[in-house]
Amino acid sequence: KAGVTQTPRYLIKTRGQQVTLSCSPISGHRSVSWYQQTPGQGLQFLFEYFSETQRNKGNFPGRFSGRQFSNSRSEMNVSTLELGDSALYLCASSSLAGQETQYFGPGTRLLVL
Amino acid sequence: GQQLNQSPQSMFIQEGEDVSMNCTSSSIFNTWLWYKQDPGEGPVLLIALYKAGELTSNGRLTAQFGITRKDSFLNISASIPSDVGIYFCAGQLYGGAQKLVFGQGTRLTINP
């Protein structure tokens, strides 16, 4: 079974731009969560989607948004990029059948200049 | 944001030595997870623990879910060079949310 895939793997943007990252979960998984990883703050939860609905949201500003499609693929968008948004953005999927664990993709490395 | 207290932050050991790291929390979790992350990659799940007191092994790795549900430890026996990386603990609550709370990570360096 293929793992979680994320595109693109690397991205360079400038301040003020917006960016869209994509995540394809493991086949059959319906829950997708997004995390931001930085050296200073570590791994921080952004939001979780299940059946195209956002079920939980972390403490990030409204510039961070996401959505999930009917095939469970998910995108996250960051508008008006700031230097501090430079990070590794990780997507994780789970099937939600009972006691489930999350499996991570390789991440998208975003650099904001 | 909320984080677990993971220690030690870094370890420098000789190949063949055993390693021990732990995580503590002020909150109770339903699940404890241990991940390993290599540079530029996403975390890879090593061990998942679902019940208080549970002791689980995966090869040279052994992890336990603390009886109070507020802590967990990971042991690596007979370390080898490929064990190098950053190890994260994560706590998970159920009840409608799949949010993971992570420790700060333990960076493991092995001298051959």
Side-chain angles (χ1 to χ4, degrees):
Chain A
K1 197 183 262 193
V4 178
T5 58
Q6 292 187 245
T7 56
R9 291 293 309 274
Y10 305 93
L11 207 48
I12 300 175
K13 292 285 188 178
T14 56
R15 280 181 297 175
Q17 287 187 311
Q18 68 93 25
V19 66
T20 299
L21 312 181
S22 180
C23 171
S24 292
I26 291 172
S27 178
H29 284 194
R30 297 169 62 193
S31 169
V32 172
S33 299
W34 288 89
Y35 295 82
Q36 181 196 63
Q37 186 176 27
T38 59
Q41 297 298 315
L43 279 150
Q44 300 287 327
F45 172 78
L46 280 158
F47 28 64
E48 183 217 353
Y49 285 87
F50 178 76
S51 292
E52 302 178 64
T53 301
Q54 186 182 91
R55 298 201 311 163
N56 198 10
K57 191 176 190 302
N59 296 323
F60 280 82
R63 299 184 297 107
F64 292 81
S65 63
R67 60 177 176 169
Q68 187 180 33
F69 302 94
S70 58
N71 61 358
S72 294
R73 190 178 69 86
S74 177
E75 289 181 348
M76 69 162 281
N77 184 77
V78 187
S79 62
T80 319
L81 283 165
E82 301 176 358
L83 296 180
D85 296 333
S86 295
L88 181 66
Y89 289 89
L90 293 159
C91 164
S93 77
S94 65
S95 65
L96 277 189
Q99 291 177 323
E100 287 302 318
T101 54
Q102 297 182 34
Y103 297 88
F104 284 83
T108 294
R109 173 76 63 186
L110 173 65
L111 177 61
V112 182
L113 301 174
Chain B
Q2 182 186 6
Q3 280 194 323
L4 304 175
N5 295 314
Q6 185 172 349
S7 64
Q9 290 189 7
S10 59
M11 301 184 73
F12 298 85
I13 63 170
Q14 297 294 124
E15 183 177 349
E17 288 185 8
D18 296 344
V19 172
S20 184
M21 59 192 79
N22 69 83
C23 273
T24 60
S25 170
S26 57
S27 305
I28 289 174
F29 290 104
N30 296 104
T31 298
W32 281 91
L33 305 164
W34 285 91
Y35 290 88
K36 177 175 182 275
Q37 186 175 27
D38 292 325
E41 299 295 329
V44 174
L45 182 65
L46 298 174
I47 292 181
L49 302 158
Y50 298 110
K51 295 195 302 187
E54 179 181 356
L55 183 71
T56 297
S57 293
N58 178 9
R60 294 178 296 106
L61 277 60
T62 301
Q64 183 158 31
F65 190 147
I67 198 72
T68 65
R69 294 166 64 194
K70 293 183 178 181
D71 63 299
S72 176
F73 73 75
L74 174 71
N75 288 338
I76 305 173
S77 63
S79 59
I80 59 177
S82 61
D83 291 334
V84 166
I86 303 178
Y87 292 79
F88 290 96
C89 62
Q92 187 169 19
L93 282 169
Y94 290 98
Q98 291 288 76
K99 172 183 173 181
L100 285 176
V101 178
F102 282 87
Q104 302 96 320
T106 295
R107 182 180 297 275
L108 178 62
T109 303
I110 298 176
N111 298 316

